[in-house]
Amino acid sequence: MASKAGLGAVGFDGAFTGSLDLCESYEACAAEVRQFLAPMWTATEQTLPAAVRPHVHAIIGFTVRTDRIADEGAPAARERRIARWCSDTLEDLRLGRSGHPLRRAFVDTALRWDLDRAVIEEFLTTVHADCVSPPVFETFADQRRYLRGTTGTSAEMWTPLLEPRGPEAFRLASLLGEVCHLADVFEDMPADLAAGRCYLPREDLRQLGLDVADLRRSEPREALDELIDIQLTRWHGLLQQAAPVAATVGSEYEAFLGALLLGAQVQFDEVTLLRSRVLSDGLEPLTVTGRARRRPAWPAAGPVPNHLAVIMDGNRRWAALRGMSVAQGHRAGYRAAMRLVNSALRLGIRHLSIYMFSTENWDRSQEEVHDLFDALADAISRDIDWLHELGVRVRWCGRRERIDPSLASQLALVESATSNNSELTLTACADYGGRDEIVTAARALAAQAAAGAIQPEDIGPADIARNLYAPDLPDVDVLIRTSGEQRLSNFLPWHLAYAELVFDPTLWPDFGLAQLQEALTDFASRERRFGGSLPGPARPVEAARTD
């Protein structure tokens, strides 16, 4: 494998050690990715070290341009162009240089990192064959071979840049490429169907008595919903298999793979929400020109909780089942938290509180506590722009004097930066304990009484509430605890007085929109009496603002 030593300063904010033509070629690749694959550009720019970014852009830019050549223009013309493009690429790789303004960077990267030529040839062969005759998949295995030959090979190309730890890194990266490509399949579904292309296995259609014309008509809805459910089941299986991928590369690169996993999971959740509507509506990309795409709330069939609270339990067990470290389990848990934020926005929930670190968690090993707060700091720096663009207000609920001052400053800056957002209030409970919160409020009231500002006999619930960590935090409507545990663990006791409790067996990193929908369906079926004899009124659904 080629070494990174001697590459010099490689980045878009500095000089590339090479010719001006080579520098411009790397910039052209980055521009290709930013214009045509914005989510990948965003993940690369936000998570990868500067020295590696241009090379990842070179690989992705090359694969994106190859795909565009195969897709654009009249059939005969594009077949000639892709055949020439493939043969010229292989010749460039043989010679070790290229005169093409975009391929030049790809060839340079291939040489520097000793990329596997067989993988490059597999990618070119698959795209060329797709151009000549769009594939028809009889089985899921046929579909897998196609996904592997396109995005799976692309992922294998950039894996050597991430300090892979053995062959498993390449296999899992290829799987990750497949799950990302499935998101692309659903994004392009309406256009592909209109052009007569269907990238779903034909045996699935026959099993349900469907043909491609039914998909174009989006009828019959029930059978098409079942068809999409079959695809979701398989997609979920691939996601589960790919989940340990971040543990197979150097620590500097885990965030990049985590961002790709999260993107695939969020798009999976979106198809879960749309079901057969995806055939006509397609799937919007997560980002456009590097910014998060804000999606309006989905109309709900029943009452939606105003305030959802979640005890995120099961990170360590999830990691142990996959042979991963506890730290990697917690990082997967933070990805699940961001996934939950997206789901809450789509379902019209206005307040979301998550239990991130309790006052009792200080009793864990020093190493685990350190890893937990490292993961939190990384998540803040990486995800705050995304949350801000989605209109999420973030605030911290808990003690503030025991957390590292630099992290506390980060949290305070996030609170300030997002304070005017109103789509969703995300309350992150860190170094939080419910009894501790009530004791703090009692002390504050005792001091006010001693100073004569309030009479003890006048103290009521509203006085206690205004002295809690987050005085305007509304009562919780639904509490969800994952991993099968059935206790409250000192979480928001004041606010949980009349909450509906849902205990889900799912380990937290696997909790997605499907599990949330099931919990909310359970909530909608319950009669809330609030201590009285008549059910409480259901809250009207409030659509999230999109302006």
Side-chain angles (χ1 to χ4, degrees):
M1 183 181 298
S3 168
K4 289 183 284 185
L7 291 186
V10 182
F12 304 117
D13 54 353
F16 185 89
T17 53
S19 68
L20 178 61
D21 286 345
L22 184 57
C23 183
E24 290 176 347
S25 183
Y26 274 98
E27 290 172 348
C29 289
E32 184 85 8
V33 180
R34 182 171 189 176
Q35 181 176 358
F36 296 103
L37 199 58
M40 176 62 83
W41 185 89
T42 301
T44 302
E45 288 295 303
Q46 291 183 349
T47 62
L48 285 178
V52 173
R53 276 182 229 142
H55 299 294
V56 173
H57 284 317
I59 294 168
I60 302 300
F62 167 76
T63 59
V64 169
R65 177 65 66 87
T66 302
D67 190 59
R68 290 205 300 118
I69 291 170
D71 281 348
E72 297 173 358
R78 67 173 182 252
E79 287 177 26
R80 289 193 299 270
R81 286 198 305 272
I82 193 63
R84 178 67 180 271
W85 176 265
C86 292
S87 62
D88 286 352
T89 297
L90 295 176
E91 180 65 9
D92 288 347
L93 290 168
R94 187 185 69 80
L95 295 173
R97 63 181 184 276
S98 177
H100 189 277
L102 187 136
R103 284 202 310 268
R104 185 181 292 119
F106 173 71
V107 172
D108 181 70
T109 291
L111 293 176
R112 288 174 184 264
W113 294 91
D114 192 23
L115 302 189
D116 190 333
R117 302 298 169 85
V119 173
I120 298 172
E121 289 183 23
E122 183 183 355
F123 167 75
L124 292 171
T125 299
T126 303
V127 176
H128 186 200
D130 184 23
C131 176
V132 172
S133 178
V136 174
F137 310 129
E138 285 299 322
T139 66
F140 178 51
D142 294 335
Q143 185 187 42
R144 285 286 311 277
R145 280 189 287 272
Y146 170 77
L147 297 174
R148 152 69 200 174
T150 51
T151 319
T153 52
S154 176
E156 270 204 42
M157 287 184 222
W158 45 251
T159 301
L161 283 64
L162 310 185
E163 297 181 6
R165 298 169 180 169
E168 189 71 355
F170 292 85
R171 185 185 72 84
L172 292 178
S174 180
L175 270 173
L176 178 59
E178 290 186 40
V179 299
C180 291
H181 194 168
L182 282 170
D184 292 338
V185 166
F186 285 107
E187 286 179 17
D188 299 337
M189 186 75 74
D192 283 335
L193 289 173
R197 297 188 294 266
C198 176
Y199 289 93
L200 303 183
R202 290 300 200 271
E203 71 174 6
D204 294 343
L205 275 67
R206 290 195 296 270
Q207 175 186 334
L208 298 169
L210 298 168
D211 57 31
V212 177
D214 296 320
L215 274 62
R216 285 197 292 265
R217 292 187 299 107
S218 295
E219 292 291 345
R221 183 72 67 182
E222 185 175 336
L224 292 175
D225 280 340
E226 189 174 349
L227 174 68
I228 298 304
D229 289 344
I230 291 171
Q231 313 313 309
L232 285 167
T233 298
R234 293 185 180 138
W235 192 0
H236 181 262
L238 294 178
L239 274 167
Q240 291 285 86
Q241 292 177 56
V245 65
T248 65
V249 299
S251 58
E252 282 187 285
Y253 310 102
E254 288 185 23
F256 173 67
L257 296 180
L260 299 186
L261 271 172
L262 176 59
Q265 289 169 328
V266 168
Q267 293 296 66
F268 172 89
D269 286 343
E270 186 68 13
V271 178
T272 300
L273 194 64
L274 292 170
R275 298 184 77 192
S276 61
R277 291 175 184 266
V278 75
L279 300 171
S280 56
D281 298 353
L283 195 62
E284 292 182 339
L286 287 173
T287 63
V288 55
T289 61
R291 292 183 60 83
R293 187 186 292 275
R294 188 182 298 182
R295 293 162 169 165
W298 184 259
V304 176
N306 180 54
H307 185 184
L308 169 69
V310 180
I311 300 175
M312 307 180 298
D313 197 7
N315 293 344
R316 293 187 289 182
R317 278 170 281 172
W318 182 89
L321 287 171
R322 290 160 177 78
M324 300 166 68
S325 70
V326 171
Q328 287 157 346
H330 289 312
R331 291 182 187 277
Y334 282 114
R335 287 198 298 274
M338 294 303 99
R339 185 180 180 186
L340 177 67
V341 169
N342 186 75
S343 296
L345 283 165
R346 289 295 274 132
L347 295 177
I349 295 167
R350 305 308 295 269
H351 291 268
L352 173 63
S353 296
I354 54 177
Y355 208 3
M356 302 188 77
F357 188 86
S358 75
T359 51
E360 291 73 31
N361 287 154
W362 291 106
D363 293 333
R364 295 185 180 183
S365 72
Q366 186 175 354
E367 180 183 10
E368 183 176 354
V369 170
H370 182 269
D371 289 337
L372 271 163
F373 283 119
D374 267 0
L376 176 56
D378 289 346
I380 291 170
S381 60
R382 185 176 61 250
D383 296 325
I384 183 55
D385 288 342
W386 182 65
L387 292 172
H388 190 38
E389 289 163 5
L390 293 176
V392 177
R393 175 193 177 197
V394 182
R395 64 178 173 185
W396 173 14
C397 182
R399 296 181 62 168
R400 303 201 170 213
E401 71 277 9
R402 297 192 295 184
I403 290 179
D404 182 86
S406 62
L407 177 57
S409 295
Q410 272 187 289
L411 287 165
L413 286 172
V414 168
E415 286 184 303
S416 176
T418 63
S419 60
N420 293 324
N421 292 340
S422 58
E423 296 299 316
L424 171 72
T425 296
L426 172 63
T427 302
C429 297
D431 198 10
Y432 174 85
R435 288 181 174 179
D436 195 56
E437 179 182 32
I438 293 171
V439 167
T440 300
R443 286 174 178 161
L445 286 168
Q448 294 168 32
I454 190 171
Q455 295 301 311
E457 62 271 18
D458 294 334
I459 293 174
D463 299 295
I464 295 175
R466 65 180 169 81
N467 283 282
L468 298 175
Y469 293 141
D472 61 338
L473 188 67
D475 284 350
V476 172
D477 295 299
V478 182
L479 169 76
I480 299 173
R481 180 168 188 151
T482 60
S483 86
E485 301 294 341
Q486 299 187 19
R487 55 183 179 273
L488 302 182
S489 296
N490 200 20
F491 183 47
L492 297 176
W494 182 266
H495 306 85
L496 288 174
Y498 287 102
E500 299 296 324
L501 308 182
V502 176
F503 300 107
D504 191 298
T506 307
L507 297 177
W508 173 245
D510 289 332
F511 191 90
L513 184 132
Q515 289 79 18
L516 178 58
Q517 283 183 311
E518 185 175 347
L520 297 190
T521 299
D522 186 1
F523 163 74
S525 69
R526 300 183 187 183
E527 288 188 355
R528 306 186 70 201
R529 299 180 183 276
F530 299 97
S533 59
L534 297 175
R539 179 179 73 84
V541 175
E542 300 177 49
R545 287 184 286 276
T546 57
D547 54 356

